[in-house]
Amino acid sequence: MTEHDARPLWHGRFGEEPADDLLAFTSSLAFDRRLASDDITGSRAHVAMLARVGLLTDDEAAAVTAALDTAEKELADGSFVFAPTDEDIHTAVERRVTELAGAAGAKLHTGRSRNDQVALDLRLFLRREGRAVAVAVHRLQEVLVRRAGDAGDTYLPGYTHLQRAQPVLLAHHLLAHFWAFARDVDRWLAALDRADVSPLGAGALAGSSLPLDPGGVASELGFERRFENSLDAVSDRDFVAEALFTATLTQVHLSRLGEEIVLWASEEFGFVRLADAYSTGSSMLPQKKNPDIAELARGGAGRLIGDLTGVLATLKGLPLSYNRDLQGDKEPLFDALDTCGRALAAMAGLLDSVEFVAERMQAAADGATSAATDLAELLVQQGVPFREAHQVVGELVREADERGLALEDLVAAEPRLGREALAVLEPGEAVRRRTTPGGAGPEPVRDQLAAARTRLDEQRAWLDEA
Ligand code: ARG
């Protein structure tokens, strides 16, 4: 086995060995190992650029690149041996490359600082992992559209204040969640586009006296553009904050959907039956079947809000340019993307397999009072001012309630409504009467489903490009 150089990268300036407490406190290796493949990708492009501008000979570049390949293989198969002084993944890779390639390896860090290097690695990471989350959102949207398409004319109560308000098609309800997730995909694509900037070549903070080519590295790495300002390049974590906000809002949407699943799966609602494969049991109560996926999706939102606010709080007081506080950007970002990605996949599976209990939904929606607004609108069609119509129907509902009478009988007896008005109270009639664009009835929902499918296709095309 190779002897490690036990000295830190900066040993030339220091007369003493680093204290163990310092190493233990400042090391980020435990979590930034996850950037290993991105670090190596960045180093390959850096080496190629150094050779292009004449700072490395072709032989040196070949030796360093081969050492990077070896380090990559060792990291992937677990044979990479970390040294106690490897304070982060960048240090570890550079040390190993120098062990393998000797003097040429010692040229790897020419014109580069870990400050621009870590910013690059994290952008490369986000480009891939952020897109993966957007793809997971898209998959969930596909499930929502499919279930909406299959829901036919099934309807359920629509609620405001969690009180029954007006019936809506189940498809309409599912598509309401679809549009929230569609905005999330838009936000992911916009955030990833703004993150598409290469910071490499900014050095520690001010660029370099060497003839580096930041634009060339940027295009070699597939970035849309390079940084404009070296101070900004190493200070900027907007891309982390934006990704965190986007993940957090996605998770908040999952949380609201999860809350409804929890309610709907309760015996009190009984609107859904969860598939066994997507529910959990109780260790003590034999009868239980719990909606844990929906609850964890809901709970995850709290966690992501913490990730987002933690990073914003870290950023708010930092002077330009790099400060070590920025090392704390990684764990929240990793945590948020992992939590959100897993929640999206599990919720997609849950929704794909859930059984909607149409009888329970429709029975809950068929109460005569669900059509109260339609009764008032009947009067409006006869020219009665809406405020007065509202009062007439409101009084009927109150009377029915107070005297324990059927609303139908009172409607039939009310001269301005009468027996013809009873048709409005027939099961399902109220939802069939919702005909306005974007409304909850069969006609507008057919159009909405078509629009949702078009949107899915457009988003699929964007995601394939991203
Ligand atoms: N581990 C550091 C981070 O994650 C890398 C940059 C360290 N730069 C420095 N000058 N100490 O931010």
Side-chain angles (χ1 to χ4, degrees):
M1 204 176 74
T2 339
E3 262 307 292
H4 300 306
D5 187 344
R7 296 168 306 177
L9 293 176
W10 56 82
H11 64 85
R13 163 71 178 77
F14 286 66
E16 280 184 342
E17 296 290 298
D20 289 345
D21 286 343
L22 173 126
L23 292 174
F25 181 54
T26 59
S27 172
S28 52
L29 187 61
F31 50 89
D32 65 18
R33 262 176 218 220
R34 194 161 168 184
L35 297 175
S37 68
D38 297 306
D39 197 67
I40 287 178
T41 302
S43 287
R44 278 201 190 99
H46 185 62
V47 168
M49 181 276 293
L50 291 176
R52 270 202 313 278
V53 302
L55 288 166
L56 288 188
T57 65
D58 288 346
D59 285 350
E60 287 171 330
V64 179
T65 303
L68 284 166
D69 293 346
T70 304
E72 183 174 48
K73 215 172 304 126
E74 292 174 351
L75 283 159
D77 69 18
S79 63
F80 191 102
V81 181
F82 289 95
T85 43
D86 289 344
E87 79 168 31
D88 53 29
I89 190 63
H90 328 293
T91 318
V93 170
E94 186 186 339
R95 174 193 50 76
R96 184 69 184 130
V97 166
T98 310
E99 283 168 8
L100 290 164
K107 292 191 173 184
L108 169 60
H109 212 50
T110 305
R112 187 175 72 171
S113 157
R114 281 181 298 159
N115 299 352
D116 54 350
Q117 186 178 359
V118 71
L120 172 72
D121 292 3
L122 206 52
R123 285 177 191 266
L124 288 170
F125 170 86
L126 179 62
R127 178 163 85 184
R128 181 182 60 253
E129 303 288 329
R131 183 184 169 281
V133 174
V135 168
V137 180
H138 192 261
R139 294 215 175 100
L140 176 59
Q141 288 178 275
E142 285 176 333
V143 172
L144 286 166
V145 165
R146 193 178 65 66
R147 297 304 310 253
D150 292 346
D153 288 340
T154 300
Y155 55 90
L156 75 162
Y159 296 83
T160 61
H161 314 270
L162 204 56
Q163 306 289 317
R164 287 176 194 166
Q166 288 182 296
V168 298
L169 282 189
L170 173 60
H172 193 61
H173 193 111
L174 295 173
L175 289 174
H177 289 290
F178 169 91
W179 294 110
F181 290 118
R183 291 190 295 276
D184 290 328
V185 171
D186 291 352
R187 256 183 295 271
W188 274 112
L189 292 169
L192 291 175
D193 179 51
R194 269 189 296 278
D196 200 359
V197 181
S198 171
L200 201 65
L205 75 163
S208 177
S209 65
L210 300 169
L212 307 178
D213 175 18
V217 189
S219 50
E220 171 144 355
L221 287 169
F223 281 101
E224 195 59 39
R225 46 207 173 271
R226 64 156 170 86
F227 65 96
E228 294 290 348
N229 178 310
S230 61
L231 284 171
D232 183 42
V234 296
S235 309
D236 174 18
R237 292 295 184 275
D238 290 3
F239 65 101
V240 175
E242 279 200 66
L244 282 171
F245 173 71
T246 306
T248 302
L249 192 53
T250 303
Q251 189 81 32
V252 165
H253 292 149
L254 280 173
S255 178
R256 298 181 74 171
L257 176 58
E259 167 65 6
E260 290 190 337
I261 295 293
V262 171
L263 286 173
W264 289 8
S266 69
E267 245 172 282
E268 284 69 13
F269 274 81
F271 287 3
V272 293
R273 288 190 202 103
L274 300 179
D276 285 357
Y278 286 90
S279 353
T280 47
S282 157
S283 60
M284 178 174 161
L285 314 170
Q287 84 282 14
K288 292 301 291 296
K289 191 164 157 188
N290 293 328
D292 286 27
I293 289 177
E295 292 170 288
L296 285 167
R298 189 176 61 186
R303 185 173 172 134
L304 267 77
I305 291 167
D307 290 330
L308 169 65
T309 51
V311 166
L312 289 174
T314 299
L315 292 177
K316 76 171 271 297
L318 294 187
L320 298 177
S321 59
Y322 180 83
N323 297 271
R324 191 64 178 269
D325 316 44
L326 291 175
Q327 181 165 287
D329 58 1
K330 283 172 260 328
E331 287 166 293
L333 181 66
F334 296 165
D335 180 64
L337 297 183
D338 290 347
T339 304
C340 189
R342 283 196 283 260
L344 284 162
M347 285 291 279
L350 180 152
L351 285 169
D352 201 34
S353 56
V354 75
E355 182 193 336
F356 295 115
V357 187
E359 315 80 72
R360 291 279 299 191
M361 290 182 169
Q362 296 186 172
D366 279 339
T369 47
S370 295
T373 312
D374 299 84
L375 288 173
E377 286 174 2
L378 268 189
L379 294 172
V380 166
Q381 278 170 356
Q382 299 163 24
V384 179
F386 177 71
R387 199 40 64 210
E388 194 183 324
H390 185 287
Q391 192 187 336
V392 170
V393 178
E395 280 166 1
L396 293 179
V397 171
R398 177 153 56 96
E399 200 183 339
D401 192 39
E402 283 175 2
R403 295 174 52 202
L405 299 173
L407 182 65
E408 288 85 342
D409 295 339
L410 296 177
V411 167
E414 160 62 45
R416 280 173 289 184
L417 290 164
R419 302 213 67 82
E420 309 87 276
L422 292 180
V424 171
L425 305 182
E426 289 295 312
E429 185 53 23
V431 75
R432 283 189 288 276
R433 296 170 69 86
R434 304 265 91 75
T435 50
T436 48
E443 271 174 62
V445 168
R446 247 188 309 279
D447 295 343
Q448 190 190 162
L449 250 177
R453 290 191 175 114
T454 305
R455 182 67 163 265
L456 268 183
D457 291 343
E458 285 166 5
Q459 292 191 326
R460 194 173 302 113
W462 294 342
L463 287 166
D464 287 346
E465 269 171 38

